[in-house]
Amino acid sequence: APCSCMSFNPETRRLSIGLDNGTISEFILSEDYNKMTLVKNYQAHQSRVMMILFVLEMEWVLSTGQDKQFTWHCSESGQRLGGYRTSASACGLQFDVETRHVFVGDHSGQVTILKLEQESCSLVTTFRGHTGGVTALCWDPIQRVLFSGSSDHSIIMWDIGGRKGTAIELQGHNDKVQSLSYAHHTRQLISCGADGGIVVWNMDVERQETPEWLDSDSCQKCDQPFFWNFKQMWDSKKIGLRQHHCRKCGKAVCGKCSSKRSSIPLMGFEFEVRVCDSCHESITDEERAPTATFHDSKHNIVHVHFDATRGWLLTSGTDKVIKVGVRGFPSS
């Protein structure tokens, strides 16, 4: 069957290939990389394999499929150890070796955290912050932070280790985010998208959580009624206005009271967004200083990988070209 995904472990030269028919085929590559030997096949899914992870420490093969199943197998015996049904087919898969937690991001926009044992798993919690499907996950085991990219053009940084439920939003793409990679030594997140953009985020700064949008029947600045507030419109003899929200304070405001735009990089907004007039006046030039750099690959990027040992950034896209960038990340 056609190949749909793959995972390679350089220590063991073990290559796991996911197929469209749900099978995972495992090969061992020779030392000179000139020969592939088939070791075993796993009957993992009922339809296309979406993601594969091989965990050497556990001797586990983790996978997700279009059949809405997460499964894991023992790579020594080939035996299926267990599975979990997700809310939708999943395109994001990450694993923390220390705690045996697996992170599964699916097309409904949900991230599911499972605790794996040798032959059982338990649901820990679920995160929902995206309005579109999760397209990529990236795990930092040192800071214990999970990054999720989505078709809603955004990235969310989930602070797992802080145990405070903090979620930082990053907005730097004009189309769906398709791949994420993390440079641990410099604390830089690299995101690539269908817009052809490569964004390098500085995660070594004190970022702020975006506020929740407040509910109100009238503008929280000038008290003008919104268009659904019939009683206040009748009482004040005023026409109802459209509701907006300030991205900095979260207040419900009308268009007149939020006529300004500003970037707020520490809140993840590298592009200019709507803010109320009072917040616009309070934002300093230092707060508008960018925390990310932008590079244009000119083509839809499907996958990105950062090789820390060589300082290489590899990207592949719909232009049928693999590009390599060095010393500053732009592909060439």
Side-chain angles (χ1 to χ4, degrees), residues 18-235:
L19 307 180
D20 265 4
N21 62 7
T23 301
I24 297 174
S25 295
E26 187 175 279
F27 300 86
I28 295 295
L29 274 62
S30 61
E31 290 188 17
D32 61 3
Y33 290 93
N34 282 323
K35 183 180 179 182
M36 294 169 58
T37 303
L38 178 64
V39 178
K40 63 173 71 74
N41 287 317
Y42 305 90
Q43 301 304 317
H45 298 277
Q46 299 298 316
S47 56
R48 174 183 292 179
V49 182
M50 304 294 288
M51 289 287 292
I52 305 173
L53 274 182
F54 171 65
V55 184
L56 178 60
E57 293 86 349
M58 270 61 238
E59 289 288 345
W60 287 349
V61 177
L62 315 179
S63 64
T64 61
Q66 214 170 34
D67 57 359
K68 302 181 184 179
Q69 286 286 336
F70 160 74
T71 66
W72 76 105
H73 290 74
C74 173
S75 62
E76 294 179 317
S77 65
Q79 179 184 354
R80 176 185 166 115
L81 299 176
Y84 182 87
R85 185 170 179 81
T86 56
S87 57
S89 60
C91 278
L93 183 62
Q94 291 287 286
F95 182 74
D96 181 56
V97 174
E98 183 182 342
T99 63
R100 297 190 182 184
H101 284 140
V102 65
F103 307 96
V104 183
D106 63 45
H107 282 156
S108 73
Q110 184 171 284
V111 178
T112 302
I113 302 181
L114 304 170
K115 171 78 171 181
L116 298 190
E117 302 298 343
Q118 188 58 35
E119 296 183 2
S120 66
C121 75
S122 56
L123 175 65
V124 177
T125 188
T126 56
F127 295 151
R128 182 175 285 278
H130 291 290
T131 56
V134 175
T135 51
L137 290 181
C138 186
W139 170 245
D140 175 13
I142 300 171
Q143 301 294 325
R144 307 199 65 73
V145 167
L146 180 72
F147 300 97
S148 60
S150 171
S151 58
D152 64 9
H153 310 179
S154 74
I155 301 163
I156 296 180
M157 181 184 81
W158 307 92
D159 184 8
I160 308 293
R163 300 182 181 277
K164 296 180 181 178
T166 305
I168 306 295
E169 192 173 344
L170 304 175
Q171 297 277 1
H173 287 278
N174 293 310
D175 205 334
K176 63 179 177 180
V177 179
Q178 300 201 123
S179 187
L180 299 171
S181 188
Y182 190 72
H184 298 277
H185 65 300
T186 57
R187 292 197 65 189
Q188 289 175 303
L189 176 71
I190 305 150
S191 61
C192 296
D195 57 359
I198 302 173
V199 185
V200 183
W201 305 86
N202 178 13
M203 303 310 300
D204 198 20
V205 295
E206 187 84 25
R207 293 188 176 272
Q208 304 168 21
E209 193 171 15
T210 52
E212 290 188 14
W213 286 3
L214 302 177
D215 293 325
S216 178
D217 289 330
S218 57
C219 175
Q220 293 182 298
K221 294 294 183 180
C222 67
D223 203 37
Q224 281 270 79
F226 294 131
F227 64 83
W228 62 82
N229 190 351
F230 299 112
K231 184 178 187 305
Q232 188 174 345
M233 282 193 294
W234 178 264
D235 292 343

